[in-house]
Amino acid sequence: MKTMSTVAVIGGGPAGLMAAEVLAAGGAQVDVYDAMPSAGRKFLLAGVGGMNITHSEPSEAFVSRYGARAPAIRSLLDAFSPNALRAWIEALGIETFVGSSGRVFPRDMKAAPLLRAWLHRLRESGVRFHVRHRWQGWSTDGALRFFSPLGEIHVAADAVVLALGGASWPRLGSDGGWVPLLAACGVDVAPLVPANCGFDVAGGWSAHLRTRFAGQPLKTVALRFADASGRTHERRGELMLSDTGIEGSLVYALAAPLRDTIAAQGAVVVQLDLLPDKHPERVVADVSHPRGARSLSSHLASRAGIRGAKMALLREILPPGELSDPARLAHAIKSLPITLAAPRPVAEAISSAGGVRFEALDQHLMLRGLHGVFCAGEMLDWEAPTGGYLLTACFASGRMAGQGALRYVGCENASSGS
Ligand SMILES: Cc1cc2nc3c(=O)[nH]c(=O)nc-3n(C[C@H](O)[C@H](O)[C@H](O)COP(=O)(O)OP(=O)(O)OC[C@H]3O[C@@H](n4cnc5c(N)ncnc54)[C@H](O)[C@@H]3O)c2cc1C
């Protein structure tokens, strides 16, 4: 390299920071720009409830979590696998462990120590940070435009890595404001839509259910529905009643087909099995057992274990005649219909789907139509359930984009970043 190439990384989340690391290791001068007062705000939030950084399951199962985008993500994971990610974290001095579900966490479950150690190492390797710099696209002479505390500034760079995130939790910085900027340059961007999100029930809950039971979990239930093509989806787990509908891990896991079915047909009826471990005949026998002077609630609580939010949901959905008919009640316990009308807004979702389509990118994640501009992280058009798959793909794509940018600027030691 004759003079030091300058690469701008825009977006200081996990994808951008990983690109910055690879670029600095390869000998480029790296400037990281972020709109927020500090880098990695969503990454820190991910650590609040216990940061699930990746998953230990076999690679075929892992890759399958990316659904239709599995082929595109596979090549990223081939270059930086979940195991390599774990080793990278350990090299930062952060121990990891595999939880009982196979999920991988930092030993203390937090993101802050990891981010702190990482930012320190990046600064030591010469990466310069420019916070409160909001990217605004390009000027007519091809410079990067930023709104900064000093007003609008223009920056020239030999290559750019965009790692601007999706559109969930916009107050943490990723607000999807980049979509029109790239679309104006002819980049094919799939609309950003909620992923890993809750859903509103048609007509909303009654005031009684909302005020008394919103926030309460329904433990070990099964949710089943047919998508627009008639394919049945079924899963068991835990969901939560929300102010407007349902949310929680079971709902997030089915969020993509639920969202797409609602988009295709306007609403979707899901069947909730409140007692998935009990055979239907057993439920009929329990419910039909003479209850004497006992109320229906105490009868169902003692014979079938239906109480609290489960009982409230039955009362909310079933007409009185059905509640008092044991056969129909037993059927409803195994298959309670709930109509979902809409996903919750993307701002509330854990992640977003949509983004820059892989067809618009080459194998190093460079935009085919904008040479020298690379994209990484959640702003790419893929989605995955929770379980560490989100962060893993962000890290792996950041690495790929960083290596691509290194090659693009012709750094001699491009391979050292791999
Ligand atoms: C509550 C919650 C919990 C989560 N928990 C987990 C978890 O346990 N495991 C997991 O795998 N994933 C989790 N995620 C998802 C994960 O945090 C994200 O997928 C990941 O942070 C995305 O990384 P990224 O680098 O692509 O984008 P981001 O982390 O969103 O970073 C993008 C950066 O770009 C900046 N930016 C945006 N626009 C501009 C602009 N115009 N100019 C300058 N800068 C800009 C933003 O300020 C931001 O810093 C969670 C998400 C949430 C909301």
Side-chain angles (χ1 to χ4, degrees):
M1 196 168 52
K2 292 180 288 299
T3 55
M4 208 177 199
S5 296
T6 303
V7 182
V9 173
I10 312 180
L17 295 180
M18 187 55 98
E21 173 157 300
V22 169
L23 283 156
Q29 172 58 59
V30 187
D31 288 277
V32 175
Y33 297 88
D34 200 288
M36 298 302 282
S38 58
R41 294 208 161 192
K42 191 181 281 187
F43 187 63
L44 285 176
L45 177 75
V48 170
M51 190 175 58
N52 180 197
I53 203 127
T54 189
H55 202 289
S56 63
E57 68 189 351
S59 64
E60 276 314 304
F62 194 106
V63 170
S64 73
R65 308 296 176 183
Y66 299 91
R69 299 291 172 270
I73 301 293
R74 182 191 298 277
S75 60
L76 304 176
L77 299 182
D78 283 348
F80 192 58
S81 67
N83 280 340
L85 172 58
R86 249 187 111 180
W88 175 84
I89 295 166
E90 303 260 349
L92 262 178
I94 307 291
E95 252 187 87
T96 60
F97 74 98
V98 181
S100 54
S101 59
R103 295 172 179 222
V104 178
F105 301 89
R107 174 70 57 200
D108 64 1
M109 308 289 280
K110 294 188 183 126
L114 195 164
L115 184 63
R116 214 170 21 245
W118 194 12
L119 289 175
H120 177 73
R121 193 166 78 180
L122 287 169
R123 286 198 182 93
E124 292 281 294
S125 67
V127 174
R128 299 185 296 214
F129 285 86
H130 310 267
V131 293
R132 298 182 205 271
H133 279 62
R134 175 166 291 280
W135 179 60
Q136 293 296 313
W138 288 272
S139 64
T140 45
D141 61 359
L144 297 162
R145 290 177 56 221
F146 292 94
F147 286 164
S148 79
L150 300 174
E152 180 166 335
I153 62 160
H154 290 195
V155 171
D158 298 311
V160 183
V161 176
L162 299 176
L164 300 162
S168 79
W169 289 69
R171 65 178 184 275
L172 301 178
S174 19
D175 58 5
W178 55 267
V179 173
L181 301 178
L182 287 189
C185 298
V187 177
D188 193 4
V189 181
L192 298 179
V193 293
N196 294 302
C197 58
F199 288 82
D200 292 342
V201 293
W205 296 132
S206 66
H208 172 75
L209 196 85
R210 214 171 48 240
T211 52
R212 299 276 307 276
F213 294 97
Q216 294 213 13
L218 272 73
K219 289 199 175 151
T220 322
V221 292
L223 203 150
R224 186 176 64 247
F225 70 99
D227 67 20
S229 67
R231 184 178 154 215
T232 300
H233 299 259
E234 182 162 10
R235 207 177 165 100
R236 68 164 60 193
E238 183 174 323
L239 63 73
M240 191 125 77
L241 299 178
S242 67
D243 267 348
T244 59
I246 54 173
E247 58 186 24
S249 55
L250 173 60
V251 181
Y252 300 158
L254 292 169
L258 284 171
R259 177 199 65 216
D260 293 347
T261 308
I262 292 171
Q265 55 190 38
V268 60
V269 180
V270 300
Q271 311 291 334
L272 197 57
D273 183 345
L274 298 174
L275 295 174
D277 293 325
K278 276 200 179 173
H279 195 273
E281 282 168 18
R282 180 67 207 269
V283 177
V284 172
D286 285 344
V287 172
S288 307
H289 195 271
R291 66 177 156 109
R294 280 192 305 184
S295 71
L296 180 64
S297 296
S298 54
H299 174 61
L300 288 185
S302 64
R303 300 270 350 156
I306 298 265
R307 52 174 68 84
K310 285 186 177 176
M311 188 64 218
L313 201 54
L314 284 171
R315 288 196 186 282
E316 174 85 4
I317 290 171
L318 298 182
E322 212 159 314
L323 272 172
S324 54
D325 177 334
R328 289 165 74 194
L329 177 56
H331 180 263
I333 288 170
K334 291 296 287 176
S335 191
L336 187 65
I338 302 177
T339 304
L340 302 180
R344 293 298 300 158
V346 66
E348 293 176 19
I350 287 181
S351 59
S352 55
V356 175
R357 291 190 208 271
F358 282 95
E359 292 74 12
L361 300 159
D362 72 9
Q363 77 270 32
H364 299 297
L365 303 181
M366 183 174 79
L367 286 167
R368 293 181 194 281
L370 290 175
H371 279 201
V373 181
F374 296 76
C375 299
E378 204 178 307
M379 71 179 292
L380 302 180
D381 180 23
W382 57 272
E383 66 179 306
T386 56
Y389 309 103
L390 298 167
L391 283 172
T392 304
C394 289
F395 282 119
S397 60
R399 207 166 173 89
M400 182 64 81
Q403 285 163 357
L406 210 50
R407 276 193 199 92
Y408 182 82
V409 297
C411 276
E412 276 166 14
N413 40 352
S415 58
S416 73
S418 34

